[in-house]
Amino acid sequence: MKTISIPYYTSTLDLHVDEANLKAVVTAKMHEYKAGKTEVELVHEALEHPIASPRLRDLAKGKQKVVLVTSDHTRAVPSKITLPILLDEIRQGNPDADITILIATGLHRPTTEEEQRRMFGDAIVDHEKIAINNAFDPDQFVHMGVLPSGADFNVNKLAAECDLLVTEGFIEPHFFAGFSGGRKSILPGICSQETVNENHSYKAISSPYANTGVLEHNPIHEDMLAAAKMVNVQFIFNVALDGQKKIIAAWAGDLEKAHAEGVAFIRKWSQCPSITGDIVVTSNGGYPLDQNLYQSPKAVATAEACAGEDGVIIMCCSCADGMGGTHFEKLITMGTVDEIDGYLSKIPPKETIPEQWCPQIYARILKKHPVILVTTYLKPEEVRKANMIPASTPDEALEIAYQMKGRDASVVVIPDGVSVLAVKE
């Protein structure tokens, strides 16, 4: 019997699989990568040697209004380490710069002060100017033009009106944007709900290029990149993280070229051939990404790449913060997966409902694969309403899957489905 630890909320859950059934445990090589330097050293090194760009301190000279965009509570960006160094770098160039830290929420709820203190540290919360993007407040945004898809581009005024716009984030495979990081800090990070919704329309999500690891011809990525250029992102800082959410690499500099180098690293260290199993067990990487069901299609999409025909997917996701959005909850529980997909397919891009892309992706997967959801925070009836099968432990879920697929079913385990880029060969 093999015991495998599955990330779950702030800890792990144990999965026990008979070795005769276990076909593979799929992990990103990145979790084994050793940088040979401390996290702080990696941050300083990236800032000292920016890619295709002057140093941030040089860009800051003579710039009065500086906006530094960072991620919200749903992302594991190690801002407690990176933000103080970035702020110091800016002030090295201009000690009197008026700096605003702008939290990129996309369509998520506002980040609480408690969460800010956990993410940034008390000193930054107590002494720095912090603003939170609110996609639902039209007064926060200014219209800057039309994106390649035809979507209207409305971005936070603070970013549009500053003298220097800087973003920080981390890069990982993304289930419809190809990869996170770089341009994604702007769209969806600090855009209005109308812009985010249209970027995530049924038509865009349905594109065969809107997929994990794909940037070329990806309409979602193309709009995101155009948005970041239009608002004049002058400097980005992105990191790669291992399984313990520790920095193992960092890139700084030009919007496209620095991001491209980060993407090349992530692709090299996270990509692996998909291994097909009758049952695929995965997680959303634990906290903070498994706070709600809305975030969990990321890992389910990875499992989909490894699930055989009619294969069963087991998803471990705490959902400590519930379903994760009133629109998502309403859509994912509105009927059968065919009814959900049929309803969403009729919605024009400019009328896209917030959060509809996750029910759309779930519907696509659920048409082919039963999904067993391991959670101790959602009630079983809530899980069933979302067209999934409830379980309270990985072992309970595996037993349910065996009953569906047979006792000799092959099992593939992807402990962290967010960090793996599974590619069919």
Side-chain angles (χ1 to χ4, degrees):
M1 188 70 69
K2 185 88 170 177
T3 301
I4 303 165
S5 292
I6 308 293
Y8 183 85
Y9 200 38
T10 56
S11 185
T12 59
L13 297 175
D14 283 341
L15 170 71
H16 302 91
V17 188
D18 193 303
E19 295 201 20
N21 295 88
L22 184 61
K23 189 171 182 180
V25 178
V26 181
T27 57
K29 292 181 294 181
M30 194 161 58
H31 293 341
E32 302 158 16
Y33 181 86
K34 302 300 180 188
K37 297 176 182 177
T38 68
E39 294 179 277
V40 170
E41 286 172 341
L42 290 168
V43 174
H44 279 294
E45 185 178 78
L47 288 172
E48 288 164 9
H49 304 284
I51 297 161
S53 168
R55 280 192 68 160
L56 180 55
R57 61 177 60 182
D58 294 326
L59 289 173
K61 289 176 181 176
K63 307 289 175 60
Q64 285 308 117
K65 281 188 173 182
V66 180
V67 170
L68 175 49
V69 180
T70 189
S71 297
D72 72 358
H73 54 284
T74 67
R75 300 294 184 264
V77 179
S79 297
K80 196 174 285 189
I81 295 172
T82 58
L83 272 183
I85 299 172
L86 284 165
L87 291 166
D88 180 66
E89 178 76 6
I90 292 167
R91 289 179 173 129
Q92 288 287 335
N94 184 358
D96 300 320
D98 178 8
I99 305 172
T100 300
I101 297 169
L102 177 57
I103 300 177
T105 55
L107 298 181
H108 306 153
R109 64 166 175 79
T111 302
T112 66
E113 183 180 322
E114 180 185 350
E115 287 166 335
Q116 291 176 41
R117 290 185 182 279
R118 185 167 63 242
M119 292 158 54
F120 307 148
D122 291 337
I124 283 180
V125 175
D126 290 338
H127 301 295
E128 299 291 344
K129 189 189 298 184
I130 298 175
I132 304 173
N133 185 74
N134 181 356
F136 309 98
D137 177 8
D139 291 338
Q140 284 198 14
F141 302 95
V142 60
H143 180 71
M144 293 197 69
V146 177
L147 299 173
S149 68
D152 288 314
F153 177 39
N154 305 309
V155 71
N156 194 292
K157 289 178 181 177
L158 291 172
E161 296 169 359
C162 68
D163 302 317
L164 175 62
L165 181 58
V166 181
T167 71
E168 74 153 2
F170 78 107
I171 305 174
E172 65 179 356
H174 190 279
F175 64 137
F176 59 76
F179 290 90
S180 65
R183 74 281 184 249
K184 205 167 177 289
S185 293
I186 304 303
L187 175 56
I190 57 168
C191 288
S192 72
Q193 62 171 325
E194 294 84 4
T195 298
V196 177
N197 289 340
E198 191 163 357
N199 179 248
H200 293 21
S201 70
Y202 187 93
K203 177 184 177 183
I205 295 290
S206 296
S207 168
Y209 300 105
N211 218 319
T212 309
V214 179
L215 294 178
E216 192 172 0
H217 305 306
N218 184 332
I220 295 170
H221 162 71
E222 288 173 352
D223 267 16
M224 289 177 173
L225 182 58
K229 287 180 175 179
M230 287 167 70
V231 78
N232 193 25
V233 173
Q234 294 178 57
F235 194 91
I236 71 167
F237 177 81
N238 281 178
V239 298
L241 305 175
D242 65 12
Q244 284 70 53
K245 311 288 194 296
K246 302 292 186 183
I247 300 170
I248 56 171
W251 306 271
D254 179 74
L255 169 68
E256 292 184 82
K257 292 176 181 176
H259 185 249
E261 288 207 17
V263 164
F265 176 92
I266 299 298
R267 195 185 294 280
K268 176 181 177 181
W269 290 96
S270 67
Q271 185 167 309
C272 56
S274 61
I275 300 173
T276 304
D278 300 315
I279 301 166
V280 183
V281 185
T282 192
S283 83
N284 222 41
Y287 183 86
L289 277 177
D290 80 341
Q291 287 182 75
N292 54 54
L293 193 62
Y294 167 70
Q295 294 287 346
S296 66
K298 293 179 172 69
V300 179
T302 302
E304 178 189 23
C306 294
E309 188 175 350
D310 301 323
V312 177
I313 295 172
I314 296 173
M315 173 65 191
C316 301
C317 183
S318 76
C319 303
D321 205 21
M323 285 283 192
T326 53
H327 294 285
F328 168 75
E329 182 173 1
K330 181 179 178 181
L331 292 169
I332 197 68
T333 60
M334 70 177 291
T336 67
V337 290
D338 287 320
E339 289 169 338
I340 292 168
D341 189 63
Y343 174 76
L344 296 175
S345 69
K346 295 180 177 66
I347 300 173
K350 289 197 180 296
E351 296 175 25
T352 300
I353 300 169
E355 303 158 3
Q356 75 172 49
W357 40 95
C358 284
Q360 178 182 346
I361 291 168
Y362 259 129
R364 182 196 77 206
I365 296 169
L366 285 163
K367 284 181 180 182
K368 298 181 290 183
H369 305 287
V371 174
I372 303 171
L373 179 64
V374 177
T375 175
T376 47
Y377 289 90
L378 289 180
K379 296 176 182 177
E381 56 266 28
E382 292 178 292
V383 177
R384 293 190 188 96
K385 279 184 180 179
N387 295 288
M388 299 175 213
I389 302 163
S392 56
T393 68
D395 289 348
E396 180 190 345
L398 189 57
E399 179 58 33
I400 295 169
Y402 281 144
Q403 291 171 15
M404 299 168 73
K405 300 299 292 183
R407 305 303 307 185
D408 61 347
S410 60
V411 180
V412 172
V413 183
I414 312 172
D416 180 356
V418 178
S419 65
V420 170
L421 175 54
V423 177
K424 290 185 182 295
E425 294 189 325

